[in-house]
Amino acid sequence: MNATLAGLAAALLYTIATVILGRQLARREKPHRHAILAIGGLALPLHLLAVHTQIYQPDGLNLGLLPIISLVGWLIATLAIGMSLYKPVISVTIVSFPLAILGILLSLLIPTSAPVITTLTPGAESHILLSILAYSVLTIAAAQALLIAIQDRQLRTHKPGLMNALPPLQTMESLLFSLIWVGFALLSLAILSGFLTLEDLFAQHLAHKTLLTLAAWAVFAVLLAGRYSLGWRGNTAIRFTLWGFGLLLLGFYGSKLVLEMILQRGA
């Protein structure tokens, strides 16, 4: 199948699943998880085909901003589906599927000027893989934090809203911190691999990316320390998660956006 058609078909399937889930949540019904997971599951191989074709070029790798956004979208959708198979958290796909749709459409519709990379050392490959995995997991954590914020507000105002469709708040918070732990571990390994294998993490075009990533790591470290020493939860956990994710977002995408879209240079 043509990669563009595969990507568009995946976006359509994600959209169908999102509309079904959105209607059920709006009606305060328990989501039909099997149907949503089946439709989303059909989208995953089509999305992967599109991503693979965009990244693996005949003369090397295209690791530009837009293919990476699409890859992260695929990983986020895959993680959300995988979690939903074992835990009652199908509601997180209401955020992850639209992010996957956005990634596909941006990569298909907007031309990119990123140069093709012909050689990568094993250390650089490990750093890139760990960075993408960490960002994907912490994106899911940020989506989970937003759902918890909505749920907590509805509990405080005694409005049912999404509460009938979401697991208990304690379950949602437990999953949030599980995701943060995994994402934090991956981010730590990504930072360590970067310092060990990359020549100059504080080069001119990497300095702000490195500093923002380290700041995000520090925010998540403080949150986890506060959770297990002071019992932080609720709004405090939500704020720290979103602050950390915001810094990571600026660091992960900000440099590529400036270099490729504004300065027309490769990262």
Side-chain angles (χ1 to χ4, degrees), residues 145-212:
L146 289 173
L147 289 173
I148 291 172
I150 295 170
Q151 189 177 20
D152 182 65
R153 181 175 180 179
Q154 290 173 347
L155 282 169
R156 293 176 186 276
T157 58
H158 305 288
K159 294 179 180 179
L162 290 176
M163 288 192 300
N164 293 335
L166 294 177
L169 192 58
Q170 185 176 1
T171 302
M172 296 283 283
E173 285 192 342
S174 175
L175 177 61
L176 171 64
F177 279 97
S178 296
L179 288 166
I180 292 173
W181 263 118
V182 172
F184 179 75
L186 289 168
L187 184 61
S188 300
L189 291 172
I191 293 171
L192 179 62
S193 67
F195 278 111
L196 291 176
T197 62
L198 301 184
E199 291 183 2
D200 189 1
L201 277 175
F202 289 95
Q204 182 177 1
H205 67 293
L206 288 178
H208 61 287
K209 179 179 180 179
T210 303
L211 291 173
L212 286 168

Side-chain angles (χ1 to χ4, degrees), residues 213-229:
T213 301
L214 290 172
W217 182 91
V219 169
F220 286 117
V222 170
L223 171 58
L224 291 172
R227 167 71 169 182
Y228 290 99
S229 63

Side-chain angles (χ1 to χ4, degrees), residues 38-74:
I39 297 170
L42 288 174
L44 291 181
L46 296 169
H47 188 171
L48 182 59
L49 173 60
V51 170
H52 184 276
T53 303
Q54 291 167 342
I55 291 178
Y56 287 90
Q57 301 292 317
D59 51 348
L61 297 175
N62 178 5
L63 297 179
L65 174 64
L66 299 179
I68 292 300
I69 288 177
S70 186
L71 175 59
V72 169
W74 179 81

Side-chain angles (χ1 to χ4, degrees), residues 105-122:
L105 295 180
L106 287 176
S107 66
L108 291 177
L109 300 177
I110 300 177
T112 178
S113 61
V116 172
I117 299 173
T118 55
T119 57
L120 272 178
T121 65

Side-chain angles (χ1 to χ4, degrees), residues 252-265:
F252 190 80
Y253 286 141
S255 61
K256 280 188 170 292
L257 178 64
V258 171
L259 292 170
E260 294 178 25
M261 301 296 179
I262 299 176
L263 300 181
Q264 297 295 306
R265 292 172 50 195

Side-chain angles (χ1 to χ4, degrees), residues 17 28 34 42-43 86 95 111 113 151 157 176 183 195 207 236 238 248 266:
R28 301 173 189 172
H34 295 297
L42 288 174
Y86 299 100
V95 179
S113 61
Q151 189 177 20
T157 58
L176 171 64
F195 278 111
T236 301
I238 292 166
L248 197 61

